[in-house]
Amino acid sequence: MSLRVYVHLVIFLILGLTACEVLDPDQETPSTPSPDEIESLLRIVAEYEVDRQRPIKEQGASWRLCTFYSGALEAYEATATSYYRELAVQWAETNDWQFRDDRARHADFQCIGQVFLDLYLEDRESHMLQATRETFDEIIDDPEPGHEMWSWADALFMAPPVWVRLGAATEKSIYFDFKSERFW
C-alpha cells in the first residue's frame, strides 16, 4: 500500500472519529492536526513501511514498491524533506533505472517509470531517462490493444501517468498520443 494511501486512510480515520465526537455534544471537539503533526505522522508511516520491507538492495523493481516510492516522492514534494526523495533515489539506483524485462508491457510494472521520471524531471540526468524511453519505444513499435494493456482499474494509476511524464520529459507528442489511443 502506498504512502499516499496510508495518509489518506489516517486522515479519513481522523475525520471519521471527529465526526463521531461532534455528534456527541458532551465531547470536546478535537483540534485539527497541525502541519507539523501531519508531517510527523507521514514520517512515522514511511519509516514503518521501510522497516517492514527487505533492504532496498533486495527489493527489486516491483509494482508494489513503485507505488510506495511514488508516494515517498509526493511526501518529498509536500514537505521538502529529503529523506523521502533519498529513499526513491536509492531504490531507482539499486534497480539501475531498469524495468523488469519479463513484465515491461504490464501496466503494474510500467508504474516504476513514475519514480524514474519524477526524479529525472528534477535532475535531468540522462541515465535516469534512458531505460524508460527505450522500454516505452519498444512498446510503441509493437503495440497491443488498450484493453489488453490496461484492462483493470488500477492500471490507470500505474501506466498512463508514466506515458504523460515521458512525453513531458522528452517533449515528444508520440507518448501522449499512444497513451490517449490506449486509454480510449
Side-chain angles (χ1 to χ4, degrees):
M1 192 177 300
S2 76
L3 180 62
R4 183 182 282 178
V5 172
Y6 280 119
V7 170
H8 286 153
L9 289 174
V10 169
I11 290 170
F12 284 122
L13 178 63
I14 291 169
L15 292 174
L17 292 174
T18 302
C20 291
E21 291 180 8
V22 169
L23 294 176
D24 182 354
D26 297 331
Q27 291 283 335
E28 187 174 319
T29 304
S31 62
T32 303
S34 71
D36 287 342
E37 290 170 322
I38 293 170
E39 189 168 340
S40 175
L41 182 58
L42 252 173
R43 181 71 176 236
I44 290 167
V45 170
E47 288 175 354
Y48 167 80
E49 190 62 25
V50 168
D51 288 346
R52 70 182 209 82
Q53 299 293 335
R54 294 176 303 188
I56 286 177
K57 65 183 180 187
E58 298 173 10
Q59 291 177 359
S62 80
W63 67 268
R64 186 176 52 79
L65 290 166
C66 84
T67 60
F68 172 73
Y69 292 111
S70 291
L73 288 174
E74 291 292 331
Y76 165 67
E77 189 167 321
T79 65
T81 303
S82 62
Y83 166 77
Y84 304 112
R85 184 180 190 283
E86 290 166 10
L87 290 173
V89 169
Q90 285 177 339
W91 182 69
E93 288 177 347
T94 299
N95 287 293
D96 200 27
W97 304 89
Q98 298 290 317
F99 290 76
R100 284 182 47 182
D101 289 335
D102 63 327
R103 303 302 302 255
R105 286 189 167 275
H106 196 283
D108 286 352
F109 292 88
Q110 290 177 17
C111 175
I112 294 160
Q114 288 187 42
V115 176
F116 296 169
L117 289 168
D118 282 348
L119 293 167
Y120 169 79
L121 287 166
E122 189 173 335
D123 295 348
R124 301 288 178 168
E125 294 181 24
S126 61
H127 72 278
M128 299 171 157
L129 175 65
Q130 185 175 346
T132 303
R133 189 169 188 176
E134 289 172 0
T135 299
F136 283 57
D137 286 348
E138 287 176 19
I139 293 169
I140 289 172
D141 290 343
D142 185 22
E144 294 179 0
H147 69 276
E148 290 181 25
M149 288 181 63
W150 303 336
S151 61
W152 58 103
D154 67 330
L156 299 179
F157 166 79
M158 302 301 228
V162 184
W163 289 91
V164 171
R165 284 173 173 86
L166 187 55
T170 62
E171 299 179 357
K172 303 278 184 197
S173 64
I174 190 168
Y175 302 111
F176 297 110
D177 297 342
F178 187 87
K179 188 260 334 151
S180 184
E181 287 173 20
R182 292 304 168 268
F183 178 83
W184 292 111

